[in-house]
Amino acid sequence: MSITAENSAVIEKTRELCSQIASDPTFRKLQGSVERFLSDDAARLQYQSVHERGEELHQKQHAGIELGAVEIREFESAREALFENEVASEFLAAQQELEGLQKQISKYVGMTLELGRVPTADDIAQASGGGCCGGGGGGGCGC
């Protein structure tokens, strides 16, 4: 049987992990913040406006165009107003937390596939602190 078959032990344990995540009270709260944001048209529009303006400024800067003080102030003011919006602010915090969870789970699974065993706390710390391909030296992987 393939390790990726629907009835394999690995896929079954993956489903158990997904079930645990979905039933976790903190996850449910984060999900609620995301859903609240998605159902708030004004907060979404405000977020989209700030995001698009930030992208425009980034593109100008990347093209070598100097940003004016007024446009910087206007962007910062809009960004501050976004963070003052409770729905948007909770969404941004939830989004960051959920991305962190996804990265952490991916790190554990990826390291397990690389190492052929469950990574230890030291393995995780070394990978987070740089290690071989993480930029902190270490060697061994041809970096």
Side-chain angles (χ1 to χ4, degrees):
M1 170 176 20
S2 169
I3 197 169
T4 59
E6 277 300 308
N7 58 348
S8 74
V10 170
I11 298 301
E12 182 56 36
K13 289 295 182 182
T14 302
R15 278 195 211 94
E16 287 179 27
L17 171 62
C18 292
S19 177
Q20 182 64 41
I21 292 168
S23 66
D24 183 86
T26 301
F27 173 79
R28 307 284 292 163
K29 183 178 182 221
L30 295 171
Q31 188 178 37
S33 295
V34 171
E35 289 172 3
R36 183 173 165 208
F37 170 78
L38 293 174
S39 67
D40 188 321
D41 291 339
R44 282 192 356 254
L45 183 61
Q46 184 181 19
Y47 171 82
Q48 182 178 355
S49 174
V50 170
H51 179 73
E52 288 174 357
R53 185 65 180 144
E55 288 292 315
E56 288 172 18
L57 295 178
H58 177 75
Q59 292 298 329
K60 284 177 79 172
Q61 212 171 20
H62 189 69
I65 301 171
E66 190 171 329
L67 302 179
V70 171
E71 63 186 343
I72 292 171
R73 268 196 312 275
E74 287 174 350
F75 173 74
E76 288 175 350
S77 176
R79 190 169 170 258
E80 287 174 19
L82 178 66
F83 286 122
E84 289 171 4
N85 179 327
E86 181 183 341
V87 173
S89 180
E90 286 180 8
F91 164 73
L92 292 167
Q95 184 181 42
Q96 185 175 10
E97 184 83 14
L98 291 169
E99 286 174 2
L101 174 63
Q102 185 177 16
K103 285 179 184 176
Q104 189 71 358
I105 290 168
S106 294
K107 184 184 298 181
Y108 270 91
V109 172
M111 289 187 73
T112 298
L113 296 174
E114 289 174 19
L115 299 172
R117 61 175 170 77
V118 176
T120 65
D122 287 341
D123 293 330
I124 296 296
Q126 183 178 1
S128 296
C132 173
C133 295
C141 67
C143 297

